[in-house]
Amino acid sequence: MKRKLIAAVGVAAMMAGVAACGSGDSGAEGDKSLTIWAMDGSAPEPWVKELNKAFEAEHEGAKVEIKVQQWNGIQEKITTALSEDAPPDVLELGNTQTAGYAVTGGLADLTDLKGELGYDKWNKGMVPSTELDGKLYSAPWYAANRVVVYDKKAFKDAGVQPPKTRDEWLDGLRKIKDKTDSQPIYLPGQSWYVFAGLLWDEGGDLAAEDGDKWKGTLASPEAQKAMDFYKELQSFSTAPKDADEATPQQSTDVVPKGKVASWIGLGWEAGGAIDAMKKAGSEADFGYFPIPGKTADKPGKVFFGGSNLAVSERSPDKELAQEWLKMATSEKWMKKYAEATEGGLLPNSPGAQVDPAAGSFAEAMVKSSEVGALTPITPGWANVETEPNPIKEYMTKVLKGTSPAQAGKDADKVIDERINKS
């Protein structure tokens, strides 16, 4: 995931002081030193220290060093590192990026280790991003997904309860519009991860395999249905139609100014909004609920953003690196991880999930995780997300009056060209 994921509301910056950012120098072959690249904000310091102490105790002479990396520019940095003779031994990779690194040959093939890694126990929504062409190249580490954050007072004033279906959701937004002076929902026109969930609910996808190539599928009837619903939701919002949730940043630049009854975001955004409102002299009173589905029996699908852990093919001590990976992603240590993040990040297996606090962001997120999904698993997908993102442009065109069919055809041409690039 290309964004800092401190998903537990109120969780502090968790990696501060673990280690400074640095290059991937591993020790000489045989000296049992491991270098782990972890992204800023991904691993709590107490968890890291306890894990590495236990690992070093089990492997005499082993020394583990965590080197914290920043998301900005990380793709280029990892690409370079994987081509060198002494890359970091284990790397954290965004789950939408993993396939792109696997196809280069820079990641170790872990297929024979499925049983030892607990493959069959992993969250089914996380598994696809770890594999390419039937082979396993990483283990899922954590994930997070969006939920609806709402102002309890605005909902109470309008007599609205958290909805369970799309129809109830729209009905509640109408009541908030009629009975309060709050904006029913803040929803920018280019929140494409939200749109993706609606599209998956309709049985569609952003792209599909076509023989030995991929093709965009935004001109499909499913995409039109999803965009029609998104357009209806967006009609209750004053957010710009040609920007995403970060322009302006909804959690710190929009919500703290007040009069926003609800919005869709990640845990770190909810925490950011709470902090910003406190600094501005007000107090947030948020509730949380999963994005509603078409029926009440299950919530709407959501994008499962997160990270995987992989071993470098050129690691100076690949076997030791694999042992660290097994321990770090085991159910025992993933449960400790979930506890350390206060349930705010989803561990790689249901068995490691801790019970989140009632009424918390984490509680709503866990409910949604049952239907988490991922963008197309292909090395070329990273090219699609490059700005200008054709999915964003498609959404803006539709919101400004272009027919979904025509806007979809325009977007699919760009997707077809980008997704099939090596």
Side-chain angles (χ1 to χ4, degrees), residues 25 60 63 75 87 94 119 121 124 131 139 148 158 166 178 192 230 266 274 300 311 329 341 411:
D25 280 344
E60 185 177 356
K63 294 294 180 183
Q75 287 182 272
Y119 177 93
K121 295 182 180 179
K124 302 308 179 187
E131 299 177 305
V148 181
R166 286 188 183 183
D178 292 341
W192 72 273
Y230 190 99
L266 291 160
I274 291 171
V311 173
T329 59
T341 60

Side-chain angles (χ1 to χ4, degrees), residues 37-318:
W37 277 13
M39 302 310 299
D40 183 27
S42 291
E45 183 177 356
W47 179 81
V48 168
K49 287 184 175 180
E50 185 183 1
L51 168 68
N52 288 341
K53 182 179 180 180
F55 182 80
E56 290 169 358
E58 286 190 17
H59 300 272
E60 185 177 356
K63 294 294 180 183
V64 183
E65 181 181 12
I66 305 291
K67 292 193 173 183
V68 181
Q69 308 297 313
Q70 304 299 318
W71 283 111
N72 187 32
I74 192 60
Q75 287 182 272
E76 294 80 6
K77 190 171 184 179
I78 290 177
T79 299
T80 300
L82 290 176
S83 68
E84 296 174 342
D85 291 333
D89 301 280
V90 179
L91 308 94
E92 176 185 349
L93 307 173
N95 60 3
T96 64
Q97 304 165 357
T98 305
Y101 297 122
V103 78
T104 68
L107 304 182
D109 184 347
L110 306 174
T111 308
D112 291 341
L113 300 178
K114 280 185 175 182
E116 296 173 66
L117 286 167
Y119 177 93
D120 291 339
K121 295 182 180 179
W122 289 343
N123 185 302
K124 302 308 179 187
M126 298 183 189
V127 171
S129 71
T130 66
E131 299 177 305
L132 183 67
D133 297 331
K135 294 183 177 181
L136 183 70
Y137 289 98
S138 64
W141 189 11
Y142 67 80
N145 50 259
R146 291 163 175 78
V147 307
V148 181
V149 184
Y150 71 95
D151 181 271
K152 291 181 179 179
K153 184 178 185 304
F155 269 52
K156 182 179 180 180
D157 290 347
V160 174
Q161 296 293 323
K164 295 289 182 66
T165 67
R166 286 188 183 183
D167 288 340
E168 290 179 2
W169 195 9
L170 291 175
D171 184 57
L173 294 177
R174 294 187 190 99
K175 289 179 180 178
I176 293 169
K177 181 179 180 180
D178 292 341
K179 297 182 179 182
T180 77
D181 59 355
S182 294
Q183 181 177 186
I185 186 171
Y186 182 84
L187 182 63
Q190 294 185 345
S191 292
W192 72 273
Y193 287 125
V194 176
F195 164 74
L198 302 178
L199 176 55
W200 293 325
D201 275 341
E202 298 293 348
D205 208 338
L206 300 164
E209 288 187 86
D210 184 22
D212 60 352
K213 291 186 178 294
W214 285 75
K215 63 177 182 179
T217 52
L218 292 183
S220 67
E222 293 83 3
Q224 180 169 338
K225 290 179 182 178
M227 198 59 214
D228 284 345
F229 183 71
Y230 190 99
K231 187 174 184 178
E232 192 164 7
L233 282 178
Q234 218 273 331
S235 70
F236 291 97
S237 176
T238 62
K241 293 179 171 58
D242 57 356
D244 62 19
E245 65 277 10
T247 315
Q249 176 53 250
Q250 61 181 8
S251 59
T252 55
D253 295 335
V254 178
V255 174
K257 295 177 182 178
K259 303 301 181 183
V260 175
S262 64
W263 49 290
I264 300 170
L266 291 160
W268 68 266
E269 291 180 291
I274 291 171
D275 290 343
M277 291 173 72
K278 186 175 182 180
K279 289 178 182 178
S282 61
E283 185 174 346
D285 188 15
F286 291 152
Y288 312 95
F289 60 84
I291 293 175
K294 299 181 76 173
T295 57
D297 58 320
K298 60 183 177 180
K301 290 192 174 181
V302 287
F303 170 68
F304 233 0
S307 285
N308 301 327
L309 289 171
V311 173
S312 300
E313 174 61 25
R314 294 184 177 87
S315 165
D317 198 336
K318 190 159 57 175

